Amino acid sequence: MSGTQLALIQIDNYGPWTVSPTPRPEPDIQSLQSRLYADLCQQIGNHGGYVFYTRFDNMIAVTNGFDAAMFRRIQESVRNRYPVTVSIGAASDPSPGAALERATAQLQTAGSAQDGSRREVLAVEDERGAETVTIAHFDLVDATGRYTDRDMAYEVFIEIERAFGALMRYFYRTHGALSFFVGGDNFIAVCPDISTEAYRSAIEHVREETGIDLQVGVGRGHDAREAGMAAKHALETCRAEARPVTVQGARAQTGD
Amino acid sequence: MSGTQLALIQIDNYGPWTVSPTPRPEPDIQSLQSRLYADLCQQIGNHGGYVFYTRFDNMIAVTNGFDAAMFRRIQESVRNRYPVTVSIGAASDPSPGAALERATAQLQTAGSAQDGSRREVLAVEDERGAETVTIAHFDLVDATGRYTDRDMAYEVFIEIERAFGALMRYFYRTHGALSFFVGGDNFIAVCPDISTEAYRSAIEHVREETGIDLQVGVGRGHDAREAGMAAKHALETCRAEARPVTVQGARAQTGD
Amino acid sequence: MSGTQLALIQIDNYGPWTVSPTPRPEPDIQSLQSRLYADLCQQIGNHGGYVFYTRFDNMIAVTNGFDAAMFRRIQESVRNRYPVTVSIGAASDPSPGAALERATAQLQTAGSAQDGSRREVLAVEDERGAETVTIAHFDLVDATGRYTDRDMAYEVFIEIERAFGALMRYFYRTHGALSFFVGGDNFIAVCPDISTEAYRSAIEHVREETGIDLQVGVGRGHDAREAGMAAKHALETCRAEARPVTVQGARAQTGD
Amino acid sequence: MSGTQLALIQIDNYGPWTVSPTPRPEPDIQSLQSRLYADLCQQIGNHGGYVFYTRFDNMIAVTNGFDAAMFRRIQESVRNRYPVTVSIGAASDPSPGAALERATAQLQTAGSAQDGSRREVLAVEDERGAETVTIAHFDLVDATGRYTDRDMAYEVFIEIERAFGALMRYFYRTHGALSFFVGGDNFIAVCPDISTEAYRSAIEHVREETGIDLQVGVGRGHDAREAGMAAKHALETCRAEARPVTVQGARAQTGD
């Protein structure tokens, strides 16, 4: 059965904190945010999950198999090492978008993100049984040759942002899939169980809207790590064989 | 005189590294990238500069007052603590876009970003004399009330991405300004010396293209820190007085 | 049954690396070492283990319940984020000293710590079944009042080092216990199953050799985390009730 | 003229924090401490200084050329990224011990290290003019061959601790020099202007008390970085030429 547990990790009362009592230096804010994200990558990654920085103050994680105690340990570890705390909402659904919607609603019900007295909320829906996660790993076809080595750095950045924007909107609207920019020219999407044709259509859509060619490897597994590694290997096949879509994943690993 | 030193910091041969000999786990890649960025924030910030993560493998920094020895120290420090090395190109110009264009060209001349034998290139144009940096700090009007506390987390993310995309393209095309998403609902733009009216037009453009209301504080100073802090204070004025554009900066600090 | 799994984590060929091709700056070496240690604290801690920095290039960990795959993941994570690699040897025994001796021997058999071609050795003895770890947490009686607030900082440091030296040597010689300085005025010892009287004797010995008064909380558990937290609570009892030895641990938690 | 600025960096009210409201997990405390230290290494190192972890909650730094604004920036950066704050006292003297004594006294005058209301004290004595720092870098002769590759890891650790204890006490008592263990088998001492013979005597003393052979490279410079790098190069000469004491430093650099 296909299903993904999505978690919303929200820094409590962060906006006000960044300007209290007066605005804090940007380098401190940036390094606080990116280190907190790095730590969550490792802590969640050690249990097979993925986390995306998204807005940094609202991070989104794929956490199949996590229970409340694991999230509580994350909250404790953040509280003990950072000047901020985090609230976490989590829910499971065959549609990543639907899962995140319920995860979000749970935090919103508990109070505003800028309510100074709302701290370390933890709201985890009962988790389902054995589920399958689908991860799609996209990148630009020959990004270094076509863009990085040829165009001005900021123009390359604009192009990648355009491709990402087109993909994220299309994929969310049509399938409730959640796409994230993960650096370089890489996008990772958390997907429901959709057809190979659906990936082809997404690539086609991005090309039409932006003129940019994407390729994608798709993997499935019991958690984000398993699905994500399968997706990376599938993307390597795209590169080696110059084909835009490779779906691998659980199939290759379990023989079904 | 207005002028900004822009530096392009590029991880050497990074794409191939991430998949050699086989794809590396995403949590390790993410934490490597975001910690390297956090360290550069501090190291560059300690000398008054700003750095933006941009694509993570290609970071863009505002480095007025930096000389070759300071960049070399950055390269050494990265080499001594990370499994990757960085190349750096830097140039100054009244137009941030023009400065970054020359900075980029210097690295491109030295070889491909994925040339395994191109390592730790350092190409720094002679720096100009006393110059003024302009930083504009944007955010969404009442983002928490209108979006974060009301909409599903990923839809908020889509909206912020749309606003950012509209701003980055417009501002670069019309003024050669470089805009960066810095987390939450904040965008920081490195600008040439433009009029208050130009900021008003940018906000107007984003509203027309996306329906999203931005506000902006603008600061000027001898380096990114000085200009950036003035911009933050100006943005506080926008919030307090509910007006969309506040230009402060060097004026308030030097009395001119 | 009492038994502790001890792991020796050794940076490969580290000495030569620090001076190749010329000596590397001390701040880079120090931050590399201490961040690697911090990461291992979290990664090992997330699975219930403790790690001590010891010499930094040779760290010692209590890793009950860890199998080869978990150690391999640690090696991979270090390799992916640092410019160095680590070898690991692990063994279990009722005596922590005996366990570490076998763990050490396994690495030594594989080659010299400064053999450039010996990299990422992993040698894990078969782990035993359900075992009990004993952790003793010592600190100085009223360290702040008697020392930190009164004496010159370096003289306080000398006193703490003297107390630590006396404890580490006595405890290792008499019981094969391994003691580590963990900051402030705190020492943590990994112990075999010894009597309350044995802790009293250790404190007595340190007082006689150095004139310094220690107190100790002792905890037992299935892993270092459980035993270590029980020890901390026991030490709080020492502070509250002004008695030098409190043995708690598994007893208080399981009711036996 | 010889003179060293020493700074005592003390985490405010740290002991109580580690057990409030209940004892915090050791892995969180350890990673908090060692990352804070790593950050200070970089931040102080970027301005030519050295910092030693010492007790972690009381760190000692060599900060020639630092003024109050630089220390205030360190305090701000810690406050913005960690759940703790730091107080700093600094003073200069030809004797490192005397400098640290006055630095310590300034903090003690301001209140107890465990006074909850004493936060972010900054007490910096007026700095002197151009001064010379002396750094001595010791290590064990053939530590890997004689110890690491042959003896059980903890016994090696005991030996290194014994050598360090003997050196630190002798050197402080006879010369007011401050010695620190910096990992591996390395000790760094901040020294007044003493003769080559004095280093020979220190090595002789350690051999007599512990049977362990040390060697030392000595460097001088305008700040810790300059002196420390010269000391490292001098120690390389000891290794290459098998002689126990090499004094280089300012001499080699300035020609005197």
Side-chain angles (χ1 to χ4, degrees):
Chain A
M1 199 211 123
S2 181
T4 315
Q5 186 184 56
L6 265 292
L8 175 61
I9 304 174
Q10 193 174 73
I11 304 181
D12 295 316
N13 202 23
Y14 185 56
W17 183 87
T18 62
V19 294
S20 297
T22 58
R24 297 177 195 254
E26 196 62 31
D28 288 354
I29 290 176
Q30 293 297 311
S31 49
L32 167 68
Q33 291 176 173
S34 51
R35 284 194 182 165
L36 174 55
Y37 171 62
D39 278 2
L40 293 177
C41 283
Q42 288 295 311
Q43 193 167 3
I44 291 173
N46 279 331
H47 297 290
Y50 268 21
V51 58
F52 302 100
Y53 60 82
T54 325
R55 295 169 53 189
F56 282 106
D57 61 348
N58 284 267
M59 291 169 277
I60 295 174
V62 181
T63 53
N64 285 51
F66 282 52
D67 59 20
M70 291 159 86
F71 287 118
R72 214 171 287 122
R73 171 69 193 129
I74 290 171
Q75 291 182 313
E76 178 190 48
S77 174
V78 171
R79 177 204 321 141
N80 284 338
R81 295 182 295 138
Y82 289 92
V84 295
T85 56
V86 295
S87 287
I88 302 178
S92 293
D93 199 280
S95 159
L100 185 61
E101 184 156 24
R102 294 210 306 279
T104 306
Q106 288 173 29
L107 283 197
Q108 287 167 341
T109 303
S112 168
Q114 297 197 353
D115 175 346
S117 63
R118 197 212 71 178
R119 283 168 63 94
E120 298 195 334
V121 173
L122 178 61
V124 182
E125 269 187 18
D126 275 355
E127 220 200 326
R128 313 209 168 184
E131 296 178 335
T132 302
V133 178
T134 302
I135 295 279
H137 196 131
F138 293 83
D139 73 359
L140 274 65
V141 177
D142 191 21
T144 301
R146 291 192 196 176
Y147 300 95
T148 307
D149 286 349
R150 220 177 54 182
D151 293 344
M152 191 283 233
Y154 196 77
E155 291 175 5
V156 178
F157 182 44
I158 287 177
E159 289 304 289
I160 290 174
E161 272 288 322
R162 283 179 61 232
F164 175 57
L167 177 68
M168 84 184 294
R169 287 187 296 268
Y170 173 85
F171 231 21
Y172 178 68
R173 193 176 64 230
T174 56
H175 301 293
L178 309 178
S179 309
F180 302 93
F181 177 49
V182 293
D185 61 326
N186 296 261
F187 315 137
I188 290 181
V190 188
C191 300
D193 191 1
I194 53 178
S195 67
T196 301
E197 191 48 38
Y199 293 102
R200 240 183 278 283
S201 298
I203 288 177
E204 183 59 29
H205 174 84
V206 173
R207 185 188 306 113
E208 276 171 19
E209 189 174 320
T210 67
I212 296 167
D213 288 320
L214 298 182
Q215 54 194 347
V216 63
V218 182
R220 297 197 182 92
H222 294 303
D223 58 20
R225 172 170 46 198
E226 210 176 293
M229 283 309 288
K232 283 170 180 275
H233 283 284
L235 184 58
E236 289 299 289
T237 304
C238 291
R239 287 172 184 151
E241 305 181 3
R243 52 173 166 138
V245 181
T246 307
V247 179
Q248 207 174 342
R251 193 168 316 168
Q253 296 182 328
T254 63
D256 66 342
Chain B
M1 200 209 124
S2 180
T4 316
Q5 187 184 55
L6 264 293
L8 174 62
I9 303 174
Q10 193 172 74
I11 303 181
D12 294 317
N13 202 23
Y14 184 56
W17 183 87
T18 63
V19 294
S20 299
T22 59
R24 298 177 194 254
E26 196 63 29
D28 289 355
I29 290 176
Q30 293 297 312
S31 49
L32 168 69
Q33 290 176 173
S34 50
R35 284 194 182 165
L36 174 55
Y37 171 61
D39 278 2
L40 293 177
C41 282
Q42 288 296 311
Q43 193 166 4
I44 291 173
N46 279 330
H47 297 290
Y50 268 23
V51 58
F52 302 99
Y53 59 83
T54 324
R55 298 169 53 188
F56 282 106
D57 61 348
N58 283 267
M59 291 170 277
I60 295 174
V62 180
T63 52
N64 285 52
F66 282 52
D67 58 22
M70 292 159 87
F71 287 117
R72 213 170 289 123
R73 171 70 192 128
I74 290 170
Q75 292 182 313
E76 178 189 48
S77 174
V78 171
R79 178 204 321 142
N80 284 339
R81 295 183 295 138
Y82 288 92
V84 295
T85 56
V86 295
S87 287
I88 303 178
S92 295
D93 198 280
S95 160
L100 185 61
E101 185 156 23
R102 293 211 306 279
T104 305
Q106 288 171 30
L107 283 196
Q108 287 168 341
T109 302
S112 168
Q114 296 197 355
D115 174 347
S117 64
R118 196 212 72 178
R119 283 168 63 94
E120 299 196 330
V121 173
L122 178 61
V124 182
E125 269 188 20
D126 275 357
E127 221 201 324
R128 311 207 172 187
E131 295 179 334
T132 302
V133 177
T134 302
I135 296 279
H137 196 130
F138 292 84
D139 72 0
L140 273 66
V141 176
D142 190 21
T144 301
R146 291 191 195 176
Y147 300 95
T148 308
D149 286 348
R150 222 176 53 183
D151 293 344
M152 192 283 233
Y154 196 77
E155 291 176 5
V156 178
F157 182 43
I158 287 177
E159 289 303 288
I160 289 174
E161 273 286 324
R162 283 179 61 232
F164 175 57
L167 177 69
M168 84 184 295
R169 287 187 295 268
Y170 173 85
F171 232 21
Y172 178 68
R173 192 176 64 231
T174 56
H175 299 294
L178 309 179
S179 308
F180 303 93
F181 178 48
V182 292
D185 61 325
N186 295 261
F187 315 136
I188 290 181
V190 188
C191 301
D193 190 0
I194 54 178
S195 67
T196 300
E197 191 46 39
Y199 293 102
R200 239 183 279 283
S201 298
I203 287 176
E204 183 60 30
H205 174 85
V206 173
R207 185 188 305 113
E208 276 171 18
E209 189 175 320
T210 67
I212 296 167
D213 288 320
L214 299 182
Q215 54 194 346
V216 62
V218 181
R220 297 199 181 89
H222 294 303
D223 57 20
R225 172 168 47 198
E226 209 177 294
M229 284 308 289
K232 281 169 180 276
H233 283 284
L235 185 59
E236 288 299 289
T237 302
C238 291
R239 286 171 184 153
E241 304 180 2
R243 50 173 166 138
V245 181
T246 307
V247 179
Q248 206 173 343
R251 195 169 317 167
Q253 297 183 327
T254 62
D256 65 344
Chain C
M1 195 211 127
S2 181
T4 316
Q5 187 184 54
L6 265 291
L8 174 62
I9 303 174
Q10 192 173 74
I11 303 181
D12 294 316
N13 202 23
Y14 184 57
W17 182 87
T18 63
V19 293
S20 299
T22 58
R24 298 178 194 253
E26 196 63 30
D28 289 354
I29 290 176
Q30 293 297 311
S31 49
L32 168 68
Q33 290 176 173
S34 51
R35 283 194 182 165
L36 175 54
Y37 171 63
D39 278 3
L40 293 176
C41 282
Q42 288 296 311
Q43 193 166 5
I44 291 172
N46 279 331
H47 298 290
Y50 268 21
V51 58
F52 301 99
Y53 59 82
T54 324
R55 296 170 54 188
F56 283 105
D57 61 348
N58 283 267
M59 291 170 277
I60 294 174
V62 180
T63 54
N64 284 53
F66 282 52
D67 59 20
M70 291 159 86
F71 288 117
R72 214 170 287 122
R73 171 68 193 129
I74 290 170
Q75 292 182 313
E76 179 189 47
S77 174
V78 171
R79 177 203 321 140
N80 284 339
R81 296 183 294 138
Y82 288 92
V84 295
T85 56
V86 294
S87 287
I88 302 178
S92 294
D93 198 281
S95 158
L100 185 61
E101 184 156 24
R102 293 211 305 279
T104 305
Q106 288 173 31
L107 284 197
Q108 286 168 341
T109 302
S112 168
Q114 297 198 352
D115 175 346
S117 63
R118 196 212 72 178
R119 283 168 63 94
E120 298 195 332
V121 172
L122 178 61
V124 183
E125 268 188 20
D126 276 355
E127 220 199 326
R128 314 210 167 184
E131 297 179 333
T132 302
V133 178
T134 302
I135 296 279
H137 196 131
F138 293 83
D139 72 359
L140 274 65
V141 176
D142 190 22
T144 301
R146 291 191 195 175
Y147 301 96
T148 308
D149 287 347
R150 223 176 53 184
D151 293 344
M152 191 282 232
Y154 196 78
E155 290 176 5
V156 178
F157 181 45
I158 286 177
E159 290 302 289
I160 290 174
E161 273 287 323
R162 284 179 61 231
F164 174 57
L167 177 68
M168 84 184 296
R169 287 187 297 267
Y170 173 85
F171 232 21
Y172 178 68
R173 191 175 65 231
T174 57
H175 301 292
L178 309 179
S179 309
F180 303 93
F181 177 49
V182 293
D185 62 324
N186 295 261
F187 315 135
I188 290 181
V190 189
C191 301
D193 190 2
I194 53 179
S195 67
T196 301
E197 191 47 39
Y199 294 102
R200 239 183 280 281
S201 298
I203 288 176
E204 183 60 28
H205 174 84
V206 172
R207 186 188 306 114
E208 276 171 18
E209 189 175 321
T210 67
I212 297 168
D213 287 320
L214 298 182
Q215 53 194 348
V216 64
V218 181
R220 297 199 181 88
H222 294 302
D223 57 21
R225 173 169 47 198
E226 210 176 293
M229 283 308 289
K232 282 170 180 277
H233 283 283
L235 184 58
E236 289 299 289
T237 303
C238 290
R239 286 172 184 151
E241 304 180 3
R243 50 172 167 139
V245 181
T246 307
V247 179
Q248 207 174 341
R251 193 169 316 168
Q253 296 184 330
T254 63
D256 64 345
Chain D
M1 198 209 125
S2 181
T4 316
Q5 186 184 54
L6 264 293
L8 174 61
I9 303 175
Q10 193 173 73
I11 304 181
D12 294 317
N13 202 24
Y14 185 57
W17 182 87
T18 62
V19 295
S20 299
T22 59
R24 299 177 193 254
E26 196 62 30
D28 289 354
I29 290 176
Q30 293 297 312
S31 49
L32 168 68
Q33 290 176 174
S34 51
R35 284 194 183 165
L36 174 54
Y37 171 62
D39 279 2
L40 293 177
C41 283
Q42 288 295 311
Q43 193 166 4
I44 291 173
N46 279 330
H47 297 290
Y50 268 22
V51 57
F52 302 98
Y53 59 83
T54 324
R55 295 170 54 188
F56 282 107
D57 60 348
N58 283 267
M59 291 169 277
I60 295 174
V62 181
T63 53
N64 285 52
F66 282 52
D67 58 22
M70 292 160 85
F71 287 118
R72 214 171 286 123
R73 171 68 192 130
I74 290 170
Q75 291 182 313
E76 178 189 48
S77 175
V78 171
R79 177 205 320 141
N80 284 339
R81 294 181 297 137
Y82 288 92
V84 294
T85 56
V86 294
S87 287
I88 302 178
S92 294
D93 198 280
S95 159
L100 185 62
E101 185 156 24
R102 292 210 307 279
T104 305
Q106 289 173 29
L107 284 196
Q108 287 168 340
T109 303
S112 168
Q114 297 197 355
D115 175 346
S117 63
R118 196 213 72 178
R119 284 168 62 95
E120 298 195 332
V121 173
L122 178 60
V124 183
E125 269 188 20
D126 276 355
E127 221 200 323
R128 312 207 170 186
E131 296 178 335
T132 301
V133 178
T134 303
I135 296 279
H137 197 130
F138 293 83
D139 72 0
L140 273 65
V141 176
D142 190 22
T144 301
R146 292 192 195 175
Y147 300 96
T148 308
D149 286 348
R150 220 175 55 182
D151 293 344
M152 192 286 232
Y154 196 77
E155 291 176 5
V156 178
F157 181 44
I158 287 177
E159 289 303 289
I160 290 174
E161 273 287 323
R162 283 179 61 232
F164 174 57
L167 177 68
M168 84 184 295
R169 287 187 296 268
Y170 173 84
F171 233 21
Y172 178 68
R173 193 176 64 230
T174 55
H175 301 292
L178 309 178
S179 308
F180 303 93
F181 177 48
V182 293
D185 61 325
N186 295 261
F187 315 136
I188 290 181
V190 188
C191 300
D193 191 0
I194 53 178
S195 67
T196 300
E197 190 48 38
Y199 293 102
R200 238 184 280 282
S201 298
I203 287 176
E204 182 60 28
H205 173 84
V206 172
R207 186 188 305 114
E208 276 171 19
E209 189 174 321
T210 67
I212 297 167
D213 287 319
L214 298 182
Q215 53 193 350
V216 61
V218 181
R220 297 198 182 89
H222 293 303
D223 56 20
R225 172 169 47 200
E226 210 176 293
M229 284 307 289
K232 281 170 181 276
H233 283 284
L235 184 58
E236 289 299 289
T237 302
C238 291
R239 287 172 184 151
E241 304 181 4
R243 52 173 165 137
V245 181
T246 307
V247 179
Q248 205 173 342
R251 193 168 317 166
Q253 296 182 330
T254 62
D256 65 344

